[in-house]
Amino acid sequence: MAESRSLPRGFGELEVLAVGTVLLVEALAGLSLNSLTILSFCKSPELRTPSHLLVLSLALADSGVSLNALVAATSSLLRRWPYGADGCQAHGFQGFAAALASICSSAAIAWGRYHHYCTRCGLAWNTAVSLVIFVWLSSAFWAALPLLGWGHYDYEPLGTCCTLDYSRGDRNFISFLFTMAFFNFLLPVFITLTSYRLMEQKVGKTGHLQVNTTLPARMLLLGWGPYALLYLYAAIVDVASISPKLQMVPALIAKMVPAINAVNYALGSEMVRRGIWQCLSQQRNEWDRAQ
């Protein structure tokens, strides 16, 4: 099925090429921007703070989402999935774990900012490290459950990438979906919304807030909400009533999130921008000396 060179059902030659091209652009943009963020944290001592550790965790998670998109883009341009059934399971696990870590890291950043602005106490290293460890262990745990039989990974409609299989709509899928969605989507969105709203109420009137309090929650809803709606529709109605092309839209939207997160959380911070510039300047000087 997915390993065949014939076009997937519901897609034409140009449509498969277009999906592969969009995924490739999204993957390269996300990897480039988040790699700069990660490099700046590694090279700039002033960025090695507990608060920035949470942003680093988000950049690593988004890099994982972009890597997943890069594999999907390559397969789409090949018009087939070349990695077999085991590769599909590995791809589904990696992408799902990275996506959950990205969502939960955004919520952790929101809570960290609330803690900083509303308690006037700096975030402690042990708290930040504990949050990061919890985010990644929790994400790996939920992503591993479909490999153990609760939920299931399978090919997306295009047949060139793998994700949580929503086509079955059975009790196994529905129970996993609602449990997972509560802990890994609704709860992080609630934490994000509440944290920034409390920040606005407590600090916003003084005009000293230096962060965007509306974009993070909107990004969670707009970036991952279409996937949530698709899964919810699949749990309630027969997903076969949705065209394969339309089913691919949530995946394409979600793969844009890493680049937008990098712009919002990293490039939107003057300190991080300065760290990125220092890294680029240092690397350019070292290259010039080598010449």
Side-chain angles (χ1 to χ4, degrees):
M1 168 182 143
E3 295 185 5
S4 172
R5 289 187 179 273
S6 61
L7 291 173
R9 182 180 61 85
F11 292 90
E13 183 78 39
L14 289 178
E15 292 163 342
V16 174
L17 178 62
V19 170
T21 302
V22 170
L23 285 171
L24 182 61
V25 171
E26 292 174 334
L28 293 178
L31 282 173
S32 300
L33 292 173
N34 285 286
S35 294
L36 282 176
T37 303
I38 295 168
L39 182 63
S40 69
F41 287 137
C42 296
K43 294 284 188 177
S44 302
E46 63 179 349
L47 293 178
R48 296 171 194 165
T49 65
S51 296
H52 286 115
L53 179 64
L54 301 179
V55 180
L56 176 61
S57 174
L58 177 63
L60 289 170
D62 283 338
S63 295
V65 174
S66 296
L67 280 174
N68 189 269
L70 185 61
V71 174
T74 304
S75 302
S76 297
L77 295 175
L78 290 174
R79 296 194 322 174
R80 65 189 181 90
W81 177 257
Y83 308 110
D86 291 339
C88 177
Q89 297 300 302
H91 185 250
F93 169 80
Q94 185 272 331
F96 199 41
L100 296 181
S102 176
I103 294 170
C104 294
S105 291
S106 296
I109 291 172
W111 182 87
R113 288 175 170 177
Y114 160 78
H115 185 274
H116 172 76
Y117 281 99
C118 296
T119 67
R120 297 300 180 182
C121 296
L123 191 65
W125 271 108
N126 59 347
T127 303
V129 171
S130 298
L131 274 175
V132 171
I133 292 175
F134 173 79
V135 163
W136 284 95
L137 287 181
S138 173
S139 300
F141 168 77
W142 286 100
L145 290 177
L147 299 177
L148 301 175
W150 196 21
H152 182 69
Y153 293 123
D154 205 347
Y155 300 102
E156 296 240 22
L158 191 61
T160 56
C161 49
C162 297
T163 188
L164 184 66
D165 182 18
Y166 51 84
S167 63
R168 302 187 180 190
D170 55 13
R171 183 177 299 177
N172 179 286
F173 165 75
I174 293 174
S175 61
F176 176 75
L177 170 68
F178 283 102
T179 308
M180 180 276 302
F182 175 80
F183 287 106
N184 295 285
F185 184 70
L186 295 179
L187 191 57
V189 168
F190 174 78
I191 292 172
T192 303
L193 284 170
T194 303
S195 296
Y196 285 117
R197 184 171 299 174
L198 291 175
M199 285 169 57
E200 287 181 336
Q201 292 176 355
K202 191 172 182 68
V203 187
K205 295 179 181 179
T206 65
H208 294 311
L209 273 175
Q210 299 177 352
V211 298
N212 191 319
T213 58
T214 58
L215 185 59
R218 288 178 181 175
M219 276 311 306
L220 284 179
L221 291 172
L222 295 177
W224 301 105
Y227 249 138
L229 290 176
L230 177 62
Y231 287 161
L232 180 62
Y233 188 88
I236 299 175
V237 189
D238 185 7
V239 76
S241 60
I242 303 178
S243 69
K245 297 174 190 175
L246 192 58
Q247 291 181 44
M248 286 301 300
V249 171
L252 296 178
I253 293 175
K255 298 302 189 294
M256 291 191 301
V257 171
I260 297 175
N261 278 345
V263 172
N264 180 35
Y265 289 102
L267 300 182
S269 167
E270 182 180 353
M271 185 179 293
V272 178
R273 286 199 307 270
R274 189 163 61 244
I276 292 174
W277 176 249
Q278 289 173 354
C279 291
L280 293 177
S281 300
Q282 180 183 6
Q283 287 189 330
R284 184 166 60 248
N285 292 336
E286 290 176 353
W287 185 83
D288 291 339
R289 285 196 297 270
Q291 296 297 314

